[in-house]
Amino acid sequence: MPVVQFAPFSSLVQPGFWHELTRLKIDVLRLSDESLTVSGSYSVGRSIRDRETGQDVALGCNLVLGAAAFEQPLQVPPMSVTMHGVFKNYNTVEEFKAADKATTFNNVANDIWQSIVESRDTSKLTQFLLLTFSDLKKYQYYYWFAFPAFVAKPAWEISTEGWRAADHELGASQLSSIFESLHAQTKPFFLVNLTGDTAEVHSIERADTYFASDAPDSTIVGFLDPSASPDNPGWPLRNLLMYLQTLYPSKTSSVRVLCWRDGELPVGGRSWKSRFGIVTGGAGQPNAKPTAVGWERHPATNKLAARMADLAPMMDPTRLVDQAV
Amino acid sequence: MHAIQQQYWAFRDYISPVLKESKFKEHGRITPEEFVAAGDFLTYKFPVWQWEKGDTSKARDYLPADKQYLVTRGVACLRRAQSLAYTDADEDAERLLSFDDSSSGLTDEWVETHAGRKGTVDSAANPGEIDDIPDLDGDHDQITTAMGNVSLTSSAGATMGETPDLDDIPDMEEEDLEAGDDEATAAPPPKAGVLSSGGVIDASQVEAAKGNLLQVRTYDVMITYDKYYQTPRIWLIGYDENRNPLTPAQIFQDVSADHALKTVTIEAFPHSTSLQAASVHPCKHASVMKKVIERMNTGVEEQLAARKKDGSSKDSNSKKKWAFGRKSSKEDSKDKNLATEEDEQPEAMRVDFYLVVFLKFIASIVPTIEVDSTTSF
């Protein structure tokens, strides 16, 4: 059976974030390089239909940081969820390069691991790490994201049927009731309990109740999926599966997974975009903290490297004058 | 000079009075209240649009504090407008679309230009076609020059190395951070186009069939209320396929040739202290909107007249209705309004629809940016 391959997060930083960082750096942080908490958000994976070819084009699996990232709590629209991150800005490019990235990364991974084994809390399962260096005079911002996720050994596998459209498994009325519930209160992770034609959405923390029930097939593990790729569930599922495997080792040799991707109800004969699959895992409870991966690769080179946002064309007053007519 | 100009605009905006009376029918302009009503309708019907409060120090007091401007994020832009070079033949392909509005039973036609237009392979490969755009204003040379400037700017930008290559930043690669490849991480999609299953292709894949490179950009689109011109105003912030912010020259590639560098400029976004964004200048918005509204209303009046002839019309309802007083910002009252309107006779375009129509107009200026999410409308 094929190994489940998760679509990694891609960071999308709005110019507003860099403007806010510039303001903070000059007015508040100055030379401090303490870590701060920032918030980003991700929404259900989106695809749009190309009018010329009729194909659906998947848009990325984006974590978005905007101008409000330093505000707590972040306001997000329905079908989007907040993700917190550790933010560290370095004062010089040398410090940025020399930073002990492995340790910083492990600290975040440890935090996630603690939230699983100690507080049994899913709110910290997805976290990111953002390292930056801002060259304020040149309006250039160097940055590197990491999205720590635990590596399951052996890896999770998808049943031979693969990932299928969710309406193969669930009825339209069940999907609609999941939609209504998530639209009213969007959760990054949830449990779906099926009874007849209806589906109830519960928080993952109540897995005790539902995993213990007599009809294991009536319980589905769901998550808000930022990926739109048909065969790759999004990154958050990775830590969710690790959470379930660690806390409910006897119940999770096979997990029914719903990748929720419907931001709105399907209109005009379009089908549901959510995917469903049965994921099987290996041997029970890991004893120690598994290794974590998740540094973002540079999108142009696909290497593990920092990225740079060059905002000079949109921020440098002299450049703006040049193009003004 | 530009700075002085911007100061002047800010001052002019400050001293111009807030429009109090509705000029929606006569001039195509709207009051702030009507902007909020139309915005509420837009966000209600199309939840991808959201109200934003913006920077509180820049809040406009004639708008509610939490409804300063509208925003939708991550709007896809699959192709460059420049690649959509079109010819006289396309001009004939304009077709009337039925504009069917189910909530009030209003039906009207809409001209869709370039209906059967196919994207060309590359605008740089056939610049002659761009010159052939028939220009009604007669200043043919000006457009040609403007188009020339666009390509000059973008190519110069690339060669001058505006964005330092990664080679300039040594030692930024740290391949040893992670040991080997992780088998459970999805590989980045291949750059050459093998379609994956399910009929969904990834944004970075090449559209092999037509040799037409898909470079999916995304845009954050904002609609503000322009107090001086008394119309909505549209702002764009773009990202390339690698999610880097777009430069002005790159943004102009997504503006139709008739408008690039003429009506679209980079200016300070009014609800932020420092942000710059591309904006469509609103000086012609009111007159265009007026024409559109008149056109739609003529259609409605004709319908009403036809109905009168049949003798089936109820006198009380056959009068034109203008919903100027509709300032219902509360969702619950809106629900009720929508429900009752189903039963009403066809009425002329309500001010609520202003932004929906406005987006269709904007879509003609930025043809490849899918700002018009209202096609199901």
Side-chain angles (χ1 to χ4, degrees):
Chain A
M1 287 191 291
V3 167
V4 178
Q5 292 195 315
F6 302 89
F9 269 117
S10 317
S11 60
L12 189 151
V13 185
Q14 295 169 355
F17 176 83
W18 301 123
H19 285 268
E20 185 63 16
L21 173 61
T22 308
R23 191 191 65 77
L24 266 182
K25 173 85 184 135
I26 294 171
D27 297 342
V28 184
L29 299 177
R30 309 214 180 168
L31 287 177
S32 153
D33 54 5
E34 291 295 300
S35 0
L36 299 173
T37 303
V38 291
S39 314
S41 67
Y42 62 89
S43 69
V44 286
R46 294 188 311 135
S47 57
I48 68 154
R49 184 154 292 181
D50 184 347
R51 287 192 204 138
E52 287 185 13
T53 62
Q55 281 164 326
D56 283 333
V57 178
L59 302 177
C61 180
N62 288 347
L63 169 86
V64 181
L65 248 70
F70 295 99
E71 286 171 24
Q72 309 284 347
L74 187 70
Q75 297 288 326
V76 292
M79 293 298 181
S80 296
V81 290
T82 309
M83 177 164 162
H84 295 294
V86 176
F87 168 78
K88 232 168 139 53
N89 184 54
Y90 295 91
N91 285 312
T92 65
V93 73
E94 288 77 21
E95 281 177 48
F96 178 75
K97 277 189 263 181
D100 188 352
K101 298 183 177 67
T103 308
T104 331
F105 181 88
N106 281 334
N107 289 343
V108 179
N110 276 333
D111 190 35
I112 298 176
W113 183 247
Q114 294 305 323
S115 78
I116 295 177
V117 292
E118 283 177 14
S119 53
R120 299 181 151 231
D121 179 9
T122 53
S123 65
K124 290 185 161 180
L125 274 186
T126 52
Q127 290 189 44
F128 63 90
L129 170 67
L130 170 58
L131 308 178
T132 62
F133 160 68
S134 336
D135 192 339
L136 298 185
K137 286 180 184 157
K138 290 189 190 155
Y139 308 96
Q140 290 173 344
Y141 301 86
Y142 299 87
Y143 65 104
W144 201 347
F145 274 87
F147 304 96
F150 295 113
V151 180
K153 291 245 160 65
W156 292 95
E157 290 175 346
I158 177 79
S159 68
T160 42
E161 289 158 320
W163 294 99
R164 292 175 296 156
D167 49 9
H168 280 287
E169 183 70 21
L170 297 159
S173 62
Q174 291 173 328
L175 287 167
S176 299
S177 59
I178 297 171
F179 173 85
E180 295 300 334
S181 168
L182 287 178
H183 196 263
Q185 192 194 0
T186 310
K187 299 187 181 84
F189 309 109
F190 51 89
L191 283 179
V192 180
N193 189 39
L194 305 176
T195 43
D197 262 356
T198 60
E200 289 170 47
V201 173
H202 301 284
S203 71
I204 281 286
E205 279 79 3
R206 294 185 59 193
D208 288 347
T209 324
Y210 293 102
F211 279 161
S213 74
D214 302 333
D217 272 5
S218 66
T219 304
I220 297 176
V221 172
F223 74 108
L224 195 79
D225 190 354
S227 162
S229 152
D231 295 320
N232 305 110
W235 206 240
L237 178 61
R238 249 185 130 154
N239 283 350
L240 176 65
L241 289 174
M242 183 56 76
Y243 172 93
L244 295 171
Q245 190 183 34
T246 309
L247 298 181
Y248 310 100
S250 61
K251 305 284 181 189
T252 50
S253 55
S254 160
V255 185
R256 294 152 59 80
V257 176
L258 175 65
C259 309
W260 190 260
R261 295 178 178 179
D262 287 284
E264 47 201 53
L265 288 169
V267 284
R270 307 283 292 270
S271 53
W272 292 86
K273 290 177 183 161
S274 298
R275 311 288 289 176
F276 177 85
I278 298 170
V279 168
T280 50
Q285 188 169 12
N287 297 319
K289 182 175 85 80
T291 52
V293 293
W295 285 99
E296 186 177 28
R297 288 176 179 271
H298 194 286
T301 60
N302 197 33
K303 298 235 168 77
L304 287 171
R307 306 182 54 181
M308 187 194 62
D310 183 11
L311 268 76
M314 293 298 265
M315 282 174 93
D316 187 344
T318 55
R319 298 276 289 273
L320 285 170
V321 171
D322 283 349
Q323 64 79 39
V325 281
Chain B
M1 186 57 209
H2 189 56
I4 299 171
Q5 208 176 14
Q6 294 218 343
Q7 287 295 326
Y8 166 69
W9 286 332
F11 178 66
R12 187 178 68 175
D13 184 71
Y14 175 74
I15 58 164
S16 56
V18 176
L19 185 63
K20 290 278 198 282
E21 279 170 65
S22 181
K23 298 278 174 123
F24 157 60
K25 186 172 66 169
E26 295 85 351
H27 305 291
R29 298 184 206 140
I30 51 172
T31 65
E33 286 80 14
E34 287 168 341
F35 176 69
V36 172
D40 281 338
F41 182 77
L42 187 72
T43 52
Y44 171 79
K45 271 279 189 190
F46 308 103
V48 292
W49 287 95
Q50 299 276 328
W51 281 109
E52 286 277 336
K53 58 184 192 303
D55 192 292
T56 42
S57 67
K58 294 276 179 179
R60 303 290 193 270
D61 55 7
Y62 46 82
L63 291 169
D66 56 342
K67 292 182 178 176
Q68 292 283 315
Y69 66 95
L70 290 153
V71 68
T72 181
R73 301 194 187 280
V75 179
C77 174
L78 297 182
R79 290 181 182 76
R80 304 295 76 81
Q82 286 180 344
S83 74
L84 295 176
Y86 57 93
T87 58
D88 287 349
D90 293 313
E91 210 80 339
D92 304 331
E94 288 186 355
R95 64 172 187 228
L96 281 177
L97 293 183
S98 175
F99 189 80
D100 194 3
D101 169 7
S102 54
S103 69
S104 66
L106 176 150
T107 309
D108 206 327
E109 281 95 35
W110 193 268
V111 177
E112 184 191 23
T113 53
H114 330 135
R117 188 181 53 192
K118 294 279 181 289
T120 52
V121 174
D122 182 8
S123 66
N126 45 13
E129 290 205 35
I130 295 181
D131 286 347
D132 289 345
I133 298 168
D135 186 7
L136 296 177
D137 303 337
D139 52 351
H140 182 92
D141 287 333
Q142 197 184 331
I143 279 201
T144 317
T145 328
M147 283 310 299
N149 284 346
V150 168
S151 50
L152 261 183
T153 345
S154 52
S155 63
T159 48
M160 270 161 28
E162 283 180 355
T163 308
D165 210 80
L166 268 178
D167 300 340
D168 299 349
I169 320 162
D171 305 328
M172 294 294 245
E173 254 175 47
E174 298 184 35
E175 281 291 340
D176 52 343
L177 265 179
E178 279 171 14
D181 280 341
D182 172 35
E183 58 170 347
T185 304
K191 293 284 177 193
V194 186
L195 295 187
S196 46
S197 66
V200 182
I201 58 171
D202 192 88
S204 53
Q205 277 175 338
V206 171
E207 196 181 2
K210 286 160 70 187
N212 193 358
L213 194 65
L214 264 193
Q215 285 178 311
V216 179
R217 293 177 172 177
T218 55
Y219 277 87
D220 293 345
V221 183
M222 286 83 77
I223 303 177
T224 60
Y225 178 74
D226 192 285
K227 189 172 148 218
Y228 180 79
Y229 289 102
Q230 296 156 354
T231 58
R233 179 169 188 170
I234 205 123
W235 301 81
L236 301 165
I237 292 179
Y239 308 90
D240 70 8
E241 64 275 21
N242 291 331
R243 304 173 308 282
N244 292 317
L246 295 179
T247 63
Q250 288 173 314
I251 292 177
F252 291 140
Q253 295 171 347
D254 291 324
V255 178
S256 82
D258 291 349
H259 301 279
L261 290 177
K262 285 173 89 184
T263 52
V264 180
T265 50
I266 308 291
E267 279 168 46
F269 183 63
H271 291 283
S272 157
T273 46
S274 53
L275 205 59
Q276 303 277 332
S279 170
V280 181
H281 200 266
C283 55
K284 291 283 196 303
H285 286 7
S287 59
V288 172
M289 286 302 290
K290 177 173 174 253
K291 275 189 204 129
V292 171
I293 293 164
E294 274 171 1
R295 205 194 150 92
M296 292 178 71
N297 289 343
T298 322
V300 173
E301 277 163 26
E302 277 164 9
Q303 267 186 1
L304 286 174
R307 214 171 274 221
K308 244 184 197 142
K309 230 180 247 171
D310 299 344
S312 64
S313 78
K314 297 165 204 151
D315 282 341
S316 60
N317 280 336
S318 61
K319 270 188 181 171
K320 272 208 300 179
K321 277 195 193 115
W322 289 95
F324 288 134
R326 198 180 304 278
K327 287 162 198 165
S328 54
S329 50
K330 284 168 213 143
E331 291 288 324
D332 53 349
S333 68
K334 178 146 295 172
D335 273 334
K336 214 165 51 197
N337 284 343
L338 289 173
T340 53
E341 273 145 21
E342 303 259 346
D343 315 327
E344 283 175 12
Q345 295 285 314
E347 56 177 46
M349 192 190 107
R350 293 194 337 237
V351 75
D352 299 28
F353 297 157
Y354 191 96
L355 283 175
V356 176
V357 176
F358 177 73
L359 281 178
K360 293 188 185 291
F361 156 53
I362 290 298
S364 70
I365 296 178
V366 284
T368 53
I369 306 179
E370 315 263 335
V371 283
D372 182 17
S373 56
T374 62
T375 42
S376 61
F377 191 61

